[in-house]
Amino acid sequence: MDKEQRRKLSQEYKRKDLEKYLESGNSILVNYAKVKLGLNSKLLKSTDIFKIPDEQLIEVLNDKIEETAEKTYRENPQLHKSSENVLKSFPSSYRLVYYTRQFEMLTDLGDGDKFFENTPKEEIEIVAESYDLIGFKSFSSLIREVSKNNQKLELVENEYAVLKITIDKSRIEFIRKNALQFEIK
């Protein structure tokens, strides 16, 4: 079996596994499979953003952003190398949702140190810029400071714990005020 045949066989196995996820009762696995299989969901218009409940808005936007990144990558894999590279080139509004969600998931789990240890400086800067965008300049400064020396990581987790509810409200408010920037086709 040559290299090309092995690659195609591997892709076929991955596709079959993803199709099994589609039948799962787990919405996270279903969404993941849809993104990876390139199954297009409907467009997300600015008017839709106002209809989505606050507690679901970030998740819906994030799923759509990941889907769009995967689709863009699939259209020209040699250019982008990965869907993660596509995400870095997205508008700041999309990056705000995606990167702060990644950061906050790890921080909520108490793994903020893993974020700083395993995340490229470029992506940490995107997170900091995102918090600047929604009005949390002192928090973004703290993130930048900690990323430079990887010390006092617990300060970021503690500060986030204090600001979490306010950050969530500010981000939702920012998204709704700038709904046109969050339209995703």
Side-chain angles (χ1 to χ4, degrees), residues 76-92:
N76 194 344
Q78 286 76 25
L79 174 65
H80 301 294
K81 307 292 186 230
S82 73
S83 58
E84 288 78 24
N85 285 340
V86 173
L87 288 162
K88 292 175 192 172
S89 68
F90 276 179
S92 60

Side-chain angles (χ1 to χ4, degrees), residues 112-164:
D113 56 334
K114 289 181 183 173
F115 173 80
F116 286 101
E117 291 167 5
N118 300 326
T119 304
K121 298 288 185 198
E122 172 188 10
E123 292 178 23
I124 293 172
E125 181 57 30
I126 291 170
V127 170
E129 288 171 359
S130 296
Y131 286 115
D132 277 340
L133 197 59
I134 59 173
F136 290 88
K137 294 194 185 302
S138 63
F139 187 56
S140 66
S141 295
L142 179 60
I143 289 170
R144 287 182 178 105
E145 179 185 329
V146 169
S147 75
K148 287 178 185 171
N149 55 29
N150 279 346
Q151 295 176 356
K152 302 179 182 177
L153 298 172
E154 67 280 351
L155 285 177
V156 173
E157 287 183 349
N158 293 339
E159 186 69 11
Y160 174 68
V162 170
L163 295 172
K164 181 179 178 164

Side-chain angles (χ1 to χ4, degrees), residues 33-59:
K34 283 181 178 180
V35 166
K36 291 298 181 184
L37 289 168
L39 301 175
N40 293 333
S41 61
K42 68 178 190 153
L43 303 177
L44 185 64
K45 299 177 186 174
S46 59
T47 54
D48 298 329
I49 289 170
F50 293 102
K51 297 174 187 173
I52 301 169
D54 289 355
E55 61 277 2
Q56 295 174 1
L57 183 59
I58 299 301
E59 193 68 32

Side-chain angles (χ1 to χ4, degrees), residues 9-102:
L9 186 59
S10 174
Q11 286 177 338
E12 181 64 23
Y13 285 133
K14 287 178 186 176
R15 187 185 59 74
K16 285 181 181 179
D17 285 343
L18 290 169
E19 287 172 350
K20 289 177 189 174
Y21 290 161
L22 290 174
E23 298 167 10
S24 165
N26 184 330
S27 65
I28 293 171
L29 287 177
V30 170
N31 286 335
Y32 173 78
K34 283 181 178 180
V35 166
K36 291 298 181 184
L37 289 168
L39 301 175
N40 293 333
S41 61
K42 68 178 190 153
L43 303 177
L44 185 64
K45 299 177 186 174
S46 59
T47 54
D48 298 329
I49 289 170
F50 293 102
K51 297 174 187 173
I52 301 169
D54 289 355
E55 61 277 2
Q56 295 174 1
L57 183 59
I58 299 301
E59 193 68 32
V60 169
L61 283 170
N62 190 70
D63 288 346
K64 191 65 178 167
I65 290 165
E66 287 178 346
E67 175 187 320
T68 304
E70 188 67 27
K71 180 181 174 188
T72 304
Y73 164 69
R74 285 176 180 267
E75 289 171 356
N76 194 344
Q78 286 76 25
L79 174 65
H80 301 294
K81 307 292 186 230
S82 73
S83 58
E84 288 78 24
N85 285 340
V86 173
L87 288 162
K88 292 175 192 172
S89 68
F90 276 179
S92 60
S93 55
Y94 291 15
R95 292 191 322 243
L96 163 78
V97 171
Y98 178 80
Y99 285 102
T100 59
R101 181 176 176 273
Q102 302 306 312

